[in-house]
Amino acid sequence: MPNVVIDMTISLDGYVAGPGDGPSAPLGLHGGMTIFDWYMSGTEEVGSPLFKPAPGANRRQVDRMFVESGAFIFGRKTYDITNGWDGRHPVNGVPVFVLTHEPPPPASVPKGPSNLTFVTDGIESAVRQAKAVAGGKDVKLGGSSPGKAALAAGLVDEILVHIAPYLLGGGVRLFDELPNGVRLEKLSVDDGLLATHIRYRVLEG
Protein backbone atom coordinates (compact mmCIF):
# COMPACT_ATOMS: atom_id res chain seq x y z
CA MET A 1 0.00 0.00 0.00
CA PRO A 2 1.58 3.33 -1.02
CA ASN A 3 2.17 5.92 1.68
CA VAL A 4 0.89 9.45 1.15
CA VAL A 5 3.76 11.76 2.06
CA ILE A 6 4.09 15.53 2.30
CA ASP A 7 7.65 16.03 1.03
CA MET A 8 8.62 19.70 1.12
CA THR A 9 11.59 21.98 1.65
CA ILE A 10 10.82 24.80 4.08
CA SER A 11 12.58 27.75 5.65
CA LEU A 12 13.25 27.74 9.38
CA ASP A 13 10.26 30.05 9.84
CA GLY A 14 7.94 27.65 8.02
CA TYR A 15 7.62 29.01 4.48
CA VAL A 16 7.88 26.99 1.26
CA ALA A 17 8.19 30.13 -0.89
CA GLY A 18 8.76 33.80 -0.27
CA PRO A 19 6.17 36.50 -0.96
CA GLY A 20 5.18 37.23 -4.54
CA ASP A 21 5.83 33.76 -5.95
CA GLY A 22 4.93 33.41 -9.62
CA PRO A 23 6.42 32.69 -13.06
CA SER A 24 8.95 35.53 -12.75
CA ALA A 25 9.98 34.48 -9.22
CA PRO A 26 9.11 30.77 -8.84
CA LEU A 27 9.97 30.66 -5.14
CA GLY A 28 9.05 34.24 -4.39
CA LEU A 29 11.00 37.22 -3.19
CA HIS A 30 13.29 37.49 -0.14
CA GLY A 31 15.67 34.96 -1.73
CA GLY A 32 13.17 32.11 -1.92
CA MET A 33 15.46 29.98 -4.07
CA THR A 34 17.93 29.88 -1.18
CA ILE A 35 15.94 27.23 0.70
CA PHE A 36 16.77 24.77 -2.10
CA ASP A 37 20.52 25.30 -1.96
CA TRP A 38 20.83 21.85 -0.37
CA TYR A 39 19.80 20.31 -3.70
CA MET A 40 22.79 21.97 -5.35
CA SER A 41 25.42 21.87 -2.60
CA GLY A 42 27.52 19.18 -4.30
CA THR A 43 29.01 18.60 -7.73
CA GLU A 44 27.60 15.27 -8.92
CA GLU A 45 24.28 15.24 -10.78
CA VAL A 46 21.77 12.74 -9.41
CA GLY A 47 18.89 11.66 -11.62
CA SER A 48 18.24 15.11 -13.08
CA PRO A 49 20.16 18.34 -13.70
CA LEU A 50 18.05 19.83 -10.89
CA PHE A 51 19.74 17.70 -8.23
CA LYS A 52 23.42 17.94 -7.27
CA PRO A 53 23.32 17.14 -3.53
CA ALA A 54 26.43 16.94 -1.40
CA PRO A 55 27.45 13.47 -0.21
CA GLY A 56 25.95 12.35 3.07
CA ALA A 57 22.50 13.28 4.30
CA ASN A 58 21.51 15.36 1.28
CA ARG A 59 22.52 12.66 -1.19
CA ARG A 60 20.67 10.02 0.88
CA GLN A 61 17.50 12.10 0.77
CA VAL A 62 17.64 12.64 -2.98
CA ASP A 63 18.43 8.98 -3.63
CA ARG A 64 15.49 7.97 -1.45
CA MET A 65 13.22 10.45 -3.25
CA PHE A 66 13.99 8.82 -6.59
CA VAL A 67 13.50 5.29 -5.22
CA GLU A 68 10.29 5.89 -3.26
CA SER A 69 8.29 8.35 -5.36
CA GLY A 70 5.58 6.81 -7.53
CA ALA A 71 3.37 9.83 -8.22
CA PHE A 72 3.07 13.49 -7.25
CA ILE A 73 0.15 15.77 -6.45
CA PHE A 74 0.46 19.53 -6.89
CA GLY A 75 -1.82 22.55 -7.03
CA ARG A 76 -2.61 24.55 -10.14
CA LYS A 77 -0.34 27.42 -9.09
CA THR A 78 2.72 25.15 -9.07
CA TYR A 79 1.72 23.75 -12.45
CA ASP A 80 1.48 27.25 -13.89
CA ILE A 81 4.78 28.41 -12.37
CA THR A 82 6.67 25.37 -13.73
CA ASN A 83 4.84 25.26 -17.07
CA GLY A 84 3.84 21.72 -16.18
CA TRP A 85 7.50 20.70 -15.91
CA ASP A 86 7.38 20.62 -19.73
CA GLY A 87 5.63 17.28 -19.39
CA ARG A 88 8.35 15.54 -17.41
CA HIS A 89 8.63 15.88 -13.64
CA PRO A 90 12.33 15.87 -12.64
CA VAL A 91 11.88 12.84 -10.36
CA ASN A 92 11.80 9.93 -12.82
CA GLY A 93 9.14 11.58 -14.96
CA VAL A 94 6.53 10.00 -12.68
CA PRO A 95 2.79 10.70 -13.10
CA VAL A 96 1.61 14.08 -11.83
CA PHE A 97 -1.88 15.03 -10.66
CA VAL A 98 -2.86 18.69 -10.51
CA LEU A 99 -5.68 19.93 -8.31
CA THR A 100 -7.64 22.67 -10.06
CA HIS A 101 -11.11 24.14 -10.41
CA GLU A 102 -10.64 24.64 -14.15
CA PRO A 103 -8.24 22.54 -16.25
CA PRO A 104 -6.24 24.35 -18.92
CA PRO A 105 -7.12 23.83 -22.60
CA PRO A 106 -5.81 20.38 -23.66
CA ALA A 107 -3.74 21.89 -26.47
CA SER A 108 -1.76 23.95 -23.94
CA VAL A 109 -0.81 21.01 -21.70
CA PRO A 110 2.80 19.89 -22.25
CA LYS A 111 3.13 16.29 -23.38
CA GLY A 112 5.60 13.93 -21.74
CA PRO A 113 6.06 10.86 -19.57
CA SER A 114 4.47 12.43 -16.48
CA ASN A 115 1.01 12.18 -18.10
CA LEU A 116 -0.35 15.28 -16.37
CA THR A 117 -3.85 14.68 -15.00
CA PHE A 118 -6.08 17.52 -13.82
CA VAL A 119 -8.34 16.69 -10.90
CA THR A 120 -11.41 18.86 -10.34
CA ASP A 121 -13.20 16.82 -7.67
CA GLY A 122 -10.90 17.27 -4.69
CA ILE A 123 -7.94 15.86 -2.82
CA GLU A 124 -9.57 12.49 -2.04
CA SER A 125 -9.97 11.82 -5.76
CA ALA A 126 -6.42 12.98 -6.50
CA VAL A 127 -4.96 10.66 -3.86
CA ARG A 128 -7.06 7.74 -5.06
CA GLN A 129 -5.99 8.23 -8.67
CA ALA A 130 -2.33 8.74 -7.73
CA LYS A 131 -2.25 5.55 -5.65
CA ALA A 132 -3.66 3.61 -8.60
CA VAL A 133 -0.68 4.49 -10.81
CA ALA A 134 2.11 4.75 -8.21
CA GLY A 135 3.17 1.13 -8.62
CA GLY A 136 3.18 0.52 -4.88
CA LYS A 137 5.50 3.48 -4.28
CA ASP A 138 4.74 6.63 -2.30
CA VAL A 139 2.36 9.35 -3.40
CA LYS A 140 4.12 12.65 -2.75
CA LEU A 141 2.26 15.87 -1.95
CA GLY A 142 4.52 18.52 -3.42
CA GLY A 143 2.69 21.74 -2.73
CA SER A 144 1.34 23.72 0.20
CA SER A 145 -2.34 23.63 -0.81
CA PRO A 146 -2.53 19.86 -1.56
CA GLY A 147 -0.58 19.10 1.62
CA LYS A 148 -2.92 21.11 3.83
CA ALA A 149 -6.00 19.69 2.11
CA ALA A 150 -4.76 16.13 2.55
CA LEU A 151 -3.89 16.73 6.21
CA ALA A 152 -7.34 18.18 6.88
CA ALA A 153 -8.92 15.15 5.19
CA GLY A 154 -6.87 12.66 7.23
CA LEU A 155 -5.12 11.28 4.14
CA VAL A 156 -1.45 11.87 5.04
CA ASP A 157 0.70 9.00 6.37
CA GLU A 158 4.04 10.81 6.72
CA ILE A 159 5.53 14.29 6.60
CA LEU A 160 9.10 14.79 5.38
CA VAL A 161 10.44 18.32 5.77
CA HIS A 162 13.83 19.52 4.61
CA ILE A 163 14.44 22.51 6.86
CA ALA A 164 16.77 25.14 5.43
CA PRO A 165 18.75 27.48 7.72
CA TYR A 166 17.10 30.53 6.23
CA LEU A 167 14.38 32.96 7.35
CA LEU A 168 12.10 34.04 4.51
CA GLY A 169 10.09 36.36 6.74
CA GLY A 170 6.87 35.92 4.76
CA GLY A 171 5.29 34.13 1.85
CA VAL A 172 3.56 30.77 1.49
CA ARG A 173 3.25 28.74 4.69
CA LEU A 174 3.04 24.96 4.71
CA PHE A 175 1.08 24.30 7.88
CA ASP A 176 -1.24 27.25 8.45
CA GLU A 177 -5.05 27.17 8.35
CA LEU A 178 -5.44 23.59 9.54
CA PRO A 179 -8.86 22.94 11.09
CA ASN A 180 -7.49 20.80 13.93
CA GLY A 181 -4.25 19.90 15.66
CA VAL A 182 -2.25 17.00 14.23
CA ARG A 183 -0.16 14.70 16.42
CA LEU A 184 3.12 13.47 14.92
CA GLU A 185 5.70 10.78 15.74
CA LYS A 186 9.30 11.52 14.78
CA LEU A 187 10.74 8.70 12.67
CA SER A 188 14.17 10.03 11.69
CA VAL A 189 16.47 13.04 11.56
CA ASP A 190 19.25 13.36 9.00
CA ASP A 191 21.41 16.49 9.25
CA GLY A 192 23.11 17.62 6.07
CA LEU A 193 24.80 20.62 4.58
CA LEU A 194 22.24 23.46 4.27
CA ALA A 195 19.28 21.33 5.41
CA THR A 196 18.06 19.13 8.25
CA HIS A 197 15.76 16.37 7.03
CA ILE A 198 13.07 15.29 9.50
CA ARG A 199 10.50 12.56 8.83
CA TYR A 200 7.33 12.15 10.90
CA ARG A 201 4.49 9.66 11.01
CA VAL A 202 1.07 11.29 11.19
CA LEU A 203 -0.97 10.02 14.13
CA GLU A 204 -4.52 10.74 15.18
CA GLY A 205 -5.12 14.37 16.14
Side-chain angles (χ1 to χ4, degrees):
M1 177 71 70
N3 281 328
V4 177
V5 182
I6 294 174
D7 186 345
M8 294 287 289
T9 295
I10 65 173
S11 63
L12 183 60
D13 50 350
Y15 295 96
V16 297
D21 60 320
S24 62
L27 285 166
L29 306 177
H30 297 186
M33 291 296 295
T34 302
I35 67 173
F36 284 95
D37 282 352
W38 72 273
Y39 275 2
M40 305 296 291
S41 53
T43 58
E44 181 182 355
E45 183 179 305
V46 178
S48 162
L50 181 65
F51 300 106
K52 293 181 181 178
N58 294 351
R59 174 62 186 262
R60 286 193 294 271
Q61 293 299 320
V62 171
D63 285 344
R64 187 170 180 178
M65 185 190 309
F66 274 81
V67 169
E68 293 183 345
S69 301
F72 279 85
I73 298 173
F74 291 95
R76 176 62 184 271
K77 187 174 185 179
T78 303
Y79 166 84
D80 288 339
I81 288 173
T82 63
N83 189 39
W85 305 270
D86 294 324
R88 182 183 182 90
H89 190 274
V91 179
N92 294 331
V94 298
V96 171
F97 295 81
V98 180
L99 287 167
T100 183
H101 295 297
E102 185 176 347
S108 72
V109 177
K111 302 299 186 290
S114 288
N115 295 320
L116 299 167
T117 300
F118 297 90
V119 181
T120 59
D121 53 348
I123 188 64
E124 292 88 351
S125 177
V127 168
R128 183 172 63 253
Q129 293 181 61
K131 283 184 173 182
V133 300
K137 295 184 178 183
D138 290 346
V139 172
K140 296 292 185 71
L141 296 157
S144 173
S145 294
K148 286 185 283 192
L151 268 177
L155 298 172
V156 178
D157 299 300
E158 294 182 0
I159 297 172
L160 173 59
V161 286
H162 313 280
I163 303 174
Y166 193 77
L167 300 174
L168 278 169
V172 181
R173 284 196 179 276
L174 180 55
F175 296 123
D176 62 340
E177 301 176 356
L178 294 174
N180 297 294
V182 179
R183 190 180 301 276
L184 307 174
E185 176 190 3
K186 185 170 64 178
L187 298 177
S188 65
V189 178
D190 207 3
D191 193 23
L193 180 66
L194 301 175
T196 299
H197 314 278
I198 309 178
R199 185 180 291 261
Y200 299 93
R201 178 181 291 116
V202 177
L203 306 176
E204 300 255 335

